[in-house]
Amino acid sequence: DAGVTQSPTHLIKTRGQQVTLRCSPKSGHDTVSWYQQALGQGPQFIFQYYEEEERQRGNFPDRFSGHQFPNYSSELNVNALLLGDSALYLCASSPIGGRAGDTQYFGPGTRLTVL
Amino acid sequence: SQQGEEDPQALSIQEGENATMNCSYKTSINNLQWYRQNSGRGLVHLILIRSNEREKHSGRLRVTLDTSKKSSSLLITASRAADTASYFCATAPNAGNMLTFGGGTRLMVKP
């Protein structure tokens, strides 16, 4: 049973560019959340997708957008990259609509470096 | 923004000793969870304690929750070098399951 997978593992971009990160949830899970973790800090919630729609959003600008596909996989897109976007981007999945109290299962993350 | 603070920010102990980490949060919660992270990689779920529970055990882990003080503690007993990692508490609200994390405690267990 595959866990949460993310691609790519590492990514280097320059300021102003755009980036797409990908996530496949754990088998049987239909809800995907994205988190940004800056170096030395705890993860911060970006947004959550369920039934192919953004259901909740954290305090992130519109440069951060996402998508969920019918197979429940998800993409995170970041436009007009800033140096401050350099971080570890974590994807987490949870089952059956992500009810309050459900455990979230995290992927290994994508390390994005913006130069 | 971070939900709360974790204390201490860093902890260094010898193998076999116990490690205690504390977490405080600000708003009402459905549950509180503890995660471990090795070398800046993915988070591993350790334990979940619901708002109506006061204490929970899992192997060498013991978690307490005091909702009146909005605080939790994680105790790792008989620590091992393999326990070296960063530990994060995360709270889940009463609606939805987005997690709000603390800043983490970096634990080093020396052999």
Side-chain angles (χ1 to χ4, degrees):
Chain A
D1 179 22
V4 179
T5 60
Q6 292 186 244
S7 63
T9 304
H10 296 89
L11 205 51
I12 299 175
K13 292 286 188 178
T14 56
R15 280 179 298 174
Q17 284 189 313
Q18 178 264 343
V19 68
T20 297
L21 311 181
R22 295 176 177 84
C23 170
S24 292
K26 184 177 169 64
S27 178
H29 288 190
D30 62 4
T31 303
V32 174
S33 301
W34 287 91
Y35 294 80
Q36 180 196 63
Q37 185 179 22
L39 196 62
Q41 298 184 20
Q44 293 201 17
F45 175 76
I46 302 174
F47 43 52
Q48 183 178 84
Y49 275 84
Y50 171 65
E51 292 188 335
E52 302 180 47
E53 291 190 359
E54 182 182 293
R55 183 165 68 175
Q56 283 183 288
R57 189 178 183 93
N59 188 25
F60 279 80
D62 292 344
R63 298 187 297 109
F64 290 77
S65 63
H67 188 77
Q68 186 178 36
F69 298 94
N71 67 352
Y72 309 123
S73 67
S74 177
E75 289 182 348
L76 164 65
N77 300 293
V78 187
N79 294 322
L81 284 168
L82 304 173
L83 295 179
D85 295 331
S86 294
L88 180 68
Y89 287 85
L90 295 162
C91 170
S93 72
S94 48
I96 320 175
R99 297 162 301 186
D102 282 339
T103 297
Q104 292 191 33
Y105 295 82
F106 282 80
T110 293
R111 173 75 62 189
L112 172 64
T113 301
V114 182
L115 302 176
Chain B
S1 61
Q2 304 287 329
Q3 162 72 295
E5 299 293 327
E6 287 177 75
D7 170 52
Q9 291 186 341
L11 180 61
S12 181
I13 60 174
Q14 296 293 137
E15 231 176 4
E17 294 182 336
N18 295 341
T20 300
M21 290 159 262
N22 302 296
C23 166
S24 62
Y25 59 92
K26 298 174 182 174
T27 62
S28 62
I29 61 172
N30 175 283
N31 65 75
L32 185 144
Q33 304 176 35
W34 285 89
Y35 287 83
R36 185 185 74 223
Q37 184 176 43
N38 291 85
S39 302
R41 299 302 293 170
L43 297 166
V44 175
H45 183 262
L46 296 176
I47 195 165
L48 181 154
I49 185 165
R50 302 194 184 280
S51 59
N52 61 353
E53 297 176 308
R54 292 296 169 257
E55 187 172 311
K56 202 162 183 179
H57 297 254
S58 177
R60 294 185 295 113
L61 306 180
R62 171 178 169 255
V63 169
T64 62
L65 178 64
D66 186 335
T67 53
S68 67
K69 295 181 179 179
K70 291 185 169 60
S71 67
S72 174
S73 68
L74 171 67
L75 168 68
I76 304 174
T77 60
S79 63
R80 306 165 181 168
D83 295 328
T84 294
S86 291
Y87 292 80
F88 295 91
C89 69
T91 55
N94 289 311
N97 72 343
M98 59 167 279
L99 296 175
T100 304
F101 287 83
T105 293
R106 289 174 292 286
L107 173 66
M108 175 174 288
V109 181
K110 299 175 184 177

